[in-house]
Amino acid sequence: TKPPAVLDPDVERARVAIIPVVKRSFENKLRFTGETRVDRKLDIQSEIPGRIDTLFVSRGQTVAQGEIIARLVADDRPAALAEAKASLAQAEVDLEAKSNLAKRGFGSQIDVRVAEANVERAKASVLRAELAIENLDITAPFEGTIEDTYIEPGAYVSPGSRIAQLLDKDPILVEGLAGERQIGDIKVGQVAAVELASGEAFDASVSYIAAIAEGDTRTFKIELEARNTGQNIPEGVSANISLPLGTVEAHFVPASVLALGNQDQIGIKTLVEQGQL
């Protein structure tokens, strides 16, 4: 057993540097990572079967809403429409004749009802033939950029066949995950600073906050929205998101004044009475 240490009161105490610390305003920010995503992504499909006559677009091309993407070969569809219209005209003449006979007592109401049904059936045939011709032109449902095309002129397509992929890049979305302790501080409409791995920086507003956590991670999906005019920001780029959560009062201290206690608690070295730490 070692004897107790004897302190020499004449030994000069060690000199240390001290700094005064006061409360200052601190902007609290929530920082998390995410990635960019386009607002809408759609595979344009054919509604009717047929062969591709013309493909009007190429990859990377910008198209307007309603612009023709591709056109199918008409085949016998115009003839089918003419035949349907002729059948409708004949059914209408037959209905008129049977109605006149019924009014003069030479026909029954049953014959009139049958003739009326034939007219409605003929009108439906005309409508189907007109829709078939209208669907020969495959158009863009919204303004966007052609990301890819899946067919070539001359190829045969069936209903549901993919023609091209259309992206709506404006606005651009930024998706990230926030922890369960932070989700209560985030509100729709808050503005965050976004910095992409590719170097672009812009402001984006919170547009969506998930109501259900992501599996075992207990994180919630956050979606931010920003304009993408002129920047042409692509999908899938990593992003650092900084969301201001308000201003608080805080003490700013350097790391050199932090101390670790016997029970692993973190403390701060402060100056007390008689110049002791």
Side-chain angles (χ1 to χ4, degrees):
T1 302
K2 292 184 179 180
V6 178
L7 299 180
D8 187 351
D10 296 330
V11 176
E12 184 180 357
R13 296 179 180 180
R15 288 188 167 282
V16 296
I18 62 172
I19 57 171
V21 175
V22 296
K23 289 193 298 184
R24 290 188 292 165
S25 295
F26 172 73
E27 186 177 16
N28 189 19
K29 292 183 179 180
L30 170 61
R31 292 179 172 86
F32 55 99
T33 60
E35 66 177 11
T36 58
R37 186 174 63 81
V38 296
D39 185 30
R40 288 183 288 182
K41 181 188 300 184
L42 177 67
D43 282 339
I44 301 175
Q45 300 175 338
S46 175
E47 296 188 32
I48 59 175
R51 288 184 299 108
I52 297 296
D53 182 34
T54 309
L55 181 64
F56 294 97
V57 297
S58 58
R59 289 183 293 181
Q61 180 177 337
T62 300
V63 296
Q65 182 178 4
E67 185 173 341
I68 299 176
I69 302 298
R71 177 173 293 154
L72 299 177
V73 177
D75 292 329
D76 62 344
R77 290 183 175 90
L81 176 59
E83 181 179 359
K85 289 181 177 180
S87 298
L88 174 59
Q90 181 180 352
E92 290 174 341
V93 170
D94 185 56
L95 173 60
E96 183 179 3
K98 290 183 178 179
S99 296
N100 291 333
L101 289 174
K103 289 178 182 178
R104 292 185 296 174
F106 296 108
S108 65
Q109 289 298 319
I110 295 178
D111 293 336
V112 175
R113 296 291 183 268
V114 171
E116 289 175 347
N118 290 336
V119 169
E120 295 302 321
R121 189 179 298 109
K123 288 181 179 179
S125 297
V126 172
L127 180 59
R128 282 194 296 269
E130 289 176 343
L131 286 176
I133 291 180
E134 182 180 339
N135 289 332
L136 291 175
D137 288 339
I138 302 170
T139 59
F142 53 83
E143 181 181 355
T145 303
I146 300 296
E147 177 66 15
D148 202 358
T149 57
Y150 304 114
I151 49 91
E152 295 292 340
Y156 181 85
V157 296
S158 56
S161 296
R162 297 191 303 170
I163 305 301
Q165 186 178 69
L166 182 64
L167 304 182
D168 183 4
K169 296 183 178 181
D170 188 23
I172 192 72
L173 304 181
V174 183
E175 286 186 350
L177 296 174
E180 59 184 346
R181 295 184 179 179
Q182 304 160 331
I183 194 67
D185 297 325
I186 305 175
K187 301 291 185 294
V188 173
Q190 285 181 290
V191 178
V194 179
E195 184 176 351
L196 302 183
S198 54
E200 293 92 342
F202 52 90
D203 290 338
S205 59
V206 177
S207 58
Y208 169 75
I209 304 172
I212 301 176
E214 296 282 328
D216 297 333
T217 62
R218 314 311 301 169
T219 55
F220 293 80
K221 181 185 292 185
I222 307 297
E223 189 175 275
L224 301 98
E225 182 179 297
R227 302 297 298 176
N228 191 18
T229 54
Q231 295 184 357
N232 195 24
I233 299 171
E235 184 179 63
V237 180
S238 299
N240 290 319
I241 305 166
S242 178
L243 183 64
L245 298 180
T247 302
V248 296
E249 295 294 316
H251 292 84
F252 290 76
V253 298
S256 58
V257 303
L258 298 180
L260 189 63
N262 295 330
Q263 304 298 325
D264 292 335
Q265 66 270 42
I266 296 179
I268 297 176
K269 300 174 185 178
T270 59
L271 195 64
V272 294
E273 297 179 356
Q274 300 178 354
Q276 294 181 342
L277 287 177

